[in-house]
Amino acid sequence: MFSITVRDHLMIAHSFRGEVFGPAQRLHGATFLVDATFRREQLDEDGIVVDIGLATRELHAVVAQLNYRNLDDEPDFRGVNTSTEYLAKVIADRLAERIAEGRLGEGAKALAGITVTLHESHIAWASYERAL
């Protein structure tokens, strides 16, 4: 399996519901490094997994929809604990929609899967992996 990874960053505010979250139940900020890894079994006719420039642009566009937002105020997240794991899935699903729309080029429609990893720090991160 071949893969490429592109990176961006994300800054949000949010709060959680549930005792398991302790003080994070209060409004707080979070900053993430966001990695999106695109996979395919065979390289395309140009010898690539996907156009890195298009992948970078589309990851940035998805992240920009969330960046500098209080997720507690966003209708898409009403009633949801926007954990790192959950946000990784949201970003992966939104990238998958863009792939299906052809925004990463027609060749990207042959991708096998995508993994999005949100790094909370140098010692903690969460990922979501999905087939395409």
Side-chain angles (χ1 to χ4, degrees):
M1 188 72 66
F2 294 94
S3 68
I4 64 121
T5 301
V6 295
R7 177 173 276 182
D8 208 320
H9 70 280
L10 174 63
M11 298 172 69
I12 54 109
H14 63 168
S15 60
F16 294 124
R17 290 175 328 284
E19 291 300 316
V20 68
F21 295 105
Q25 292 176 84
R26 294 187 300 273
L27 184 65
H28 63 280
T31 301
F32 303 101
L33 283 178
V34 181
D35 289 335
T37 300
F38 302 87
R39 296 182 318 280
R40 68 187 302 151
E41 295 209 15
Q42 300 297 323
L43 298 177
D44 72 8
E45 61 220 23
D46 295 312
I48 62 175
V49 172
V50 70
D51 183 310
I52 288 177
L54 293 177
T56 300
R57 181 188 75 193
E58 295 305 317
L59 174 60
H60 182 74
V62 167
V63 167
Q65 296 170 343
L66 305 170
N67 211 13
Y68 297 108
R69 302 270 197 304
N70 178 350
L71 299 184
D72 295 349
D73 295 338
E74 296 294 315
D76 286 350
F77 303 117
R78 189 156 288 126
V80 175
N81 277 332
T82 51
S83 65
T84 305
E85 299 90 333
Y86 183 83
L87 291 175
K89 181 182 185 318
V90 167
I91 292 169
D93 289 346
R94 290 181 180 184
L95 283 169
E97 289 171 8
R98 290 171 175 268
I99 291 165
E101 293 167 357
R103 294 187 192 194
L104 279 83
E106 285 303 309
K109 291 182 179 179
L111 289 168
I114 184 172
T115 302
V116 171
T117 303
L118 272 63
H119 301 264
E120 293 189 53
S121 72
H122 66 289
I123 59 170
W125 55 90
S127 299
Y128 178 76
E129 182 176 341
R130 61 165 287 165
L132 292 173

